[in-house]
Amino acid sequence: MQKVHCEWGPNGVEILRDRVAVVVIVDVLSFSTAVDVAVHRHARIHPFPYGDEDAARAEAARLGVRLAASRKAGGQLSLSPASLMKLNPGERLLLPSPNGSRLSLACGKAIVLAGCLRNAQAVAAKARALAEGGDVAVIPAGERWADGSLRPAIEDLIGAGAIIEALDLPDEPEALVAREAFRSAKPHLGETLRGCRSGQELIGREHAMDVEIALELNVSHCAPLLKNGAYEDAAA
């Protein structure tokens, strides 16, 4: 029987990638939301691990694509979803990120989608179609503490729950908890995302618009699919 699974971060990907047909990476603040915004504008996003600027520049040059700047740069294309609203159709961008990009590239042979609150229903529908009866894994990315350990992020749990709700498949207890987290938060998504630790961090760094973009529910019909190393609309 087809099921939906839910586990956190890199270890979740590692234990599920060989057991499922489709993996959905959920990094609401902000990788998955940024990917959705870009793909909605008919751009392509190449995920890349964050932390080695020289390697990122070399990879962007090899691919012949633009390299996203640090969020701190301001006014440039970056991990900020608001900045990606400036992308033109057909543009290609290498987007380093510490969580969503790394997980996207760690899924082995599974089909990979990027999911968030904005596209939960669209991604769920595409995941079911692409799985062709196989299981689906929904992975809340989480954040990192200063020592590098996983910091569970409630916005990712809620985003994963929105996708699990829309999948409407038999779920394991971990997926059930994520779904119930979404149902509990749904009446006050704005308050929850603005008030959570990740939301407060972004607002404090003057990226409040990124939080507002991320908390919009099912406003996008895009289902970003990782294909040949880049996310593009699964319908393309």
Side-chain angles (χ1 to χ4, degrees):
M1 179 185 296
Q2 187 180 25
K3 290 184 179 180
V4 58
H5 310 264
C6 182
E7 294 288 355
W8 282 93
N11 289 339
V13 169
E14 185 175 352
I15 66 171
L16 290 175
R17 63 190 173 193
D18 295 328
R19 298 170 48 194
V20 301
V22 175
V23 176
V24 181
I25 302 299
V26 184
D27 186 352
V28 171
L29 293 174
S30 297
F31 175 79
S32 298
T33 300
V35 170
D36 176 75
V37 167
V39 169
H40 182 76
R41 297 185 63 80
H42 306 290
R44 299 180 70 210
I45 295 293
H46 296 258
F48 193 79
Y50 181 84
D52 189 331
E53 294 183 8
D54 290 339
R57 282 193 291 269
E59 181 66 4
R62 185 186 74 81
L63 294 171
V65 304
R66 296 178 71 177
L67 173 61
S70 166
R71 240 192 185 120
K72 297 177 183 178
Q76 300 184 53
L77 298 176
S78 71
L79 192 58
S80 162
S83 77
L84 300 186
M85 290 185 171
K86 304 172 185 176
L87 279 170
N88 295 314
E91 281 200 79
R92 298 165 63 202
L93 183 70
L94 190 79
L95 186 62
S97 89
N99 300 301
S101 279
R102 289 182 184 277
L103 296 181
S104 297
L105 298 171
C107 294
K109 296 180 180 179
I111 297 167
V112 183
L113 294 163
C116 59
L117 289 166
R118 294 173 58 86
N119 63 15
Q121 289 184 350
V123 165
K126 184 56 65 174
R128 286 197 64 158
L130 292 173
E132 297 182 336
D135 285 5
V136 176
V138 181
I139 305 292
E143 298 288 348
R144 293 284 168 184
W145 293 112
D147 65 359
S149 61
L150 177 71
R151 186 185 92 191
I154 63 168
E155 71 275 7
D156 293 342
L157 184 66
I158 292 166
I163 295 164
I164 291 165
E165 170 96 333
L167 279 165
D168 193 27
L169 290 171
D171 43 31
E172 294 186 333
E174 293 81 4
L176 173 62
V177 168
R179 188 186 72 198
E180 293 304 314
F182 166 68
R183 288 179 176 177
S184 175
K186 185 177 179 181
H188 41 83
L189 274 177
E191 178 182 347
T192 300
L193 262 70
R194 294 184 196 106
C196 72
R197 184 182 297 273
S198 301
Q200 284 290 296
E201 289 174 352
L202 287 177
I203 292 168
R205 297 201 298 265
E206 300 184 349
H207 292 294
M209 183 56 66
D210 289 342
V211 180
E212 297 304 310
I213 293 169
L215 64 81
E216 294 181 298
L217 181 63
N218 292 320
V219 297
S220 170
H221 299 292
C222 289
L225 170 69
L226 189 62
K227 184 177 180 181
N228 298 322
Y231 278 107
E232 59 183 51
D233 193 351

